[in-house]
Amino acid sequence: VNVAGSMTLKEVAALLWAKSAVTRLYNTYCEAVFFAFPEYRIQPPWEHALKAKKDLCGRQVREVELIQKHDRMTVLSQFLLNVGLYYALPGYYPSATDMVAPWYERALRLLGNHYVLSFGMYWMHRSLHVVPWLWDHIHSYHHWARHPLSRNTYDDHWVDNFANAVVGHCWAQILCPLDRGCFWFSHLFRILESLEKHSGVSCYFNVA
């Protein structure tokens, strides 16, 4: 089942489990900071007061139920994408046996990879805001959460999450491939960064 020139399928599974664990743990950390240090919130505490039957982020019950359905679709579509990439693009998940370049070349590749990733995600995100159909049918789901909190980070329409994965890490790895160590670092670091962007706090507690 392993693909020549790629990390083993077992390591791909370990990477996906690690990303899930880091997401859970760092989300817990971000929300602990949010609730323990209200002075660092980017919105005043009174804006989070519940005035109706909504969740803490300001979403209606119907909206939360729909987001939960898209969460399940996200899990399925992301799994199929990752398995598909493993078999369709040998070497996409870099092998442990690949030669490692000097540190400065690795650093430049990492910078280039994250530039490509950020460039693609910026323009996709901008399109989701300015193209009416994309906003109405896809990206507005994410903004049902009117108050920032790290748990909202991946609460999107499943197509939104899928497109983020494709124009983000997928294209970046194809256009500016990373070695195994940098690949692991990049994926885990981006989780921290994404959670912080949605955490509702801005202070020295932010790691990424």
Side-chain angles (χ1 to χ4, degrees):
V1 295
N2 294 325
V3 172
S6 300
M7 64 177 67
T8 65
L9 191 58
K10 182 182 291 187
E11 186 175 357
V12 173
L15 173 65
L16 298 181
W17 277 110
K19 289 173 68 173
S20 178
V22 168
T23 300
R24 293 284 184 131
L25 291 171
Y26 200 65
N27 175 70
T28 302
Y29 169 78
C30 287
E31 295 203 359
V33 172
F34 178 89
F35 289 109
F37 300 96
E39 65 271 24
Y40 295 130
R41 295 179 189 175
I42 61 175
Q43 285 185 342
W46 60 264
E47 288 198 17
H48 292 268
L50 300 181
K51 300 179 180 65
K53 192 174 181 182
K54 302 177 181 178
D55 74 343
L56 188 61
C57 306
R59 295 175 294 200
Q60 304 288 346
V61 173
R62 181 192 62 81
E63 294 171 340
V64 173
E65 290 173 348
L66 191 53
I67 283 292
Q68 289 173 344
K69 292 179 181 177
H70 281 278
D71 282 344
R72 291 190 281 271
M73 286 296 295
T74 291
V75 171
L76 177 61
S77 61
Q78 297 282 317
F79 174 78
L80 293 175
L81 174 64
N82 282 291
V83 173
L85 286 171
Y86 184 73
Y87 287 107
L89 295 175
Y92 174 84
Y93 292 95
S95 171
T97 60
D98 291 345
M99 290 186 63
V100 177
W103 69 268
Y104 53 85
E105 183 178 332
R106 299 178 76 200
L108 287 173
R109 276 186 174 272
L110 185 61
L111 287 173
N113 181 283
H114 277 234
Y115 177 81
V116 172
L117 183 151
S118 298
F119 183 87
M121 293 189 71
Y122 169 81
W123 284 106
M124 192 196 76
H125 189 220
R126 187 179 177 91
S127 300
L128 288 166
H129 274 266
V130 301
V131 178
W133 191 90
L134 294 177
W135 170 263
D136 292 339
H137 295 91
I138 297 177
H139 195 58
S140 61
Y141 288 43
H142 183 63
H143 289 273
W144 287 343
R146 293 163 184 82
H147 311 304
L149 207 56
S150 55
R151 69 182 70 175
N152 301 330
T153 304
Y154 304 107
D155 284 352
D156 302 295
H157 192 291
W158 74 269
V159 172
D160 205 339
N161 284 324
F162 187 84
N164 270 315
V166 172
V167 303
H169 280 299
C170 181
W171 281 114
Q173 181 65 9
I174 291 171
L175 296 174
C176 193
L178 300 175
D179 61 61
R180 177 171 169 261
C182 289
F183 186 89
W184 270 83
F185 170 81
S186 173
H187 278 252
L188 297 180
F189 181 81
R190 276 290 299 159
I191 291 171
L192 307 189
E193 188 181 20
S194 297
L195 290 171
E196 286 180 2
K197 286 178 180 177
H198 294 81
S199 67
V201 293
S202 179
C203 61
Y204 56 87
F205 285 110
N206 292 357
V207 174

